[in-house]
Amino acid sequence: MIQHLRNRPLGKGGNFVSGGEKQKIQLARFLYVNKPFFILDEPFTNLDVLNEKYLMEILLKHIKGKSGIIISHKLNVIRLANRCIVLNEGKIIGDGDPSYLIENNKLSRELIKTYLETAKNGGEGLEDLV
């Protein structure tokens, strides 16, 4: 049976749905269920920055007062956490709130610094377009 999304065929097993659309469907399911505990694995994979920002704000409100685990390589996701565990080659090398880790954990500090530099340098010249 072929289902439709906004009058568009989904395809068998959803093979006509983009990765970003699949991710939004997963997040919608998470928001709908509204359980007191959660596990999210790479919640913003395949999303553009505008959808990521929008969904980040929704998640910030939705997970308040709940316990959960968020697994992510995206550093902006630490906004959702009050405690982070930093893994390197399968070993825990940092554990604490994000501010503590940035101040006291070399890898965490290096990751944040690189993330910010990449974002800044990747956007050089774009300000002329806006």
Side-chain angles (χ1 to χ4, degrees), residues 4-105:
H4 288 73
L5 179 68
R6 292 192 182 180
N7 299 319
R8 191 183 74 191
L10 298 176
K12 187 174 182 180
N15 62 349
F16 294 161
V17 179
S18 74
E21 289 169 324
K22 288 177 184 175
Q23 195 65 25
K24 287 190 260 184
I25 291 167
Q26 290 292 353
L27 287 169
R29 286 179 178 159
F30 165 70
L31 295 169
Y32 180 75
V33 171
N34 197 24
K35 295 202 175 193
F37 184 85
F38 62 90
I39 298 174
L40 295 173
D41 187 4
E42 299 290 357
F44 302 120
T45 300
N46 297 316
L47 295 177
D48 62 65
V49 293
L50 293 176
N51 277 302
E52 186 175 307
K53 179 183 176 199
Y54 174 72
L55 290 168
M56 177 79 75
E57 298 305 318
I58 291 172
L59 279 178
L60 276 167
K61 293 174 187 169
H62 186 75
I63 65 173
K64 189 174 183 170
K66 297 179 183 179
S67 296
I69 298 171
I70 301 174
I71 303 156
S72 184
H73 289 87
K74 292 190 169 202
L75 294 175
N76 58 340
V77 172
I78 64 172
R79 289 181 45 208
L80 298 171
N82 56 13
R83 177 181 173 202
C84 295
I85 297 173
V86 182
L87 299 173
N88 188 20
E89 297 182 8
K91 294 185 175 75
I92 296 174
I93 62 161
D95 183 355
D97 70 68
S99 299
Y100 172 84
L101 288 172
I102 291 167
E103 290 177 24
N104 298 292
N105 183 278

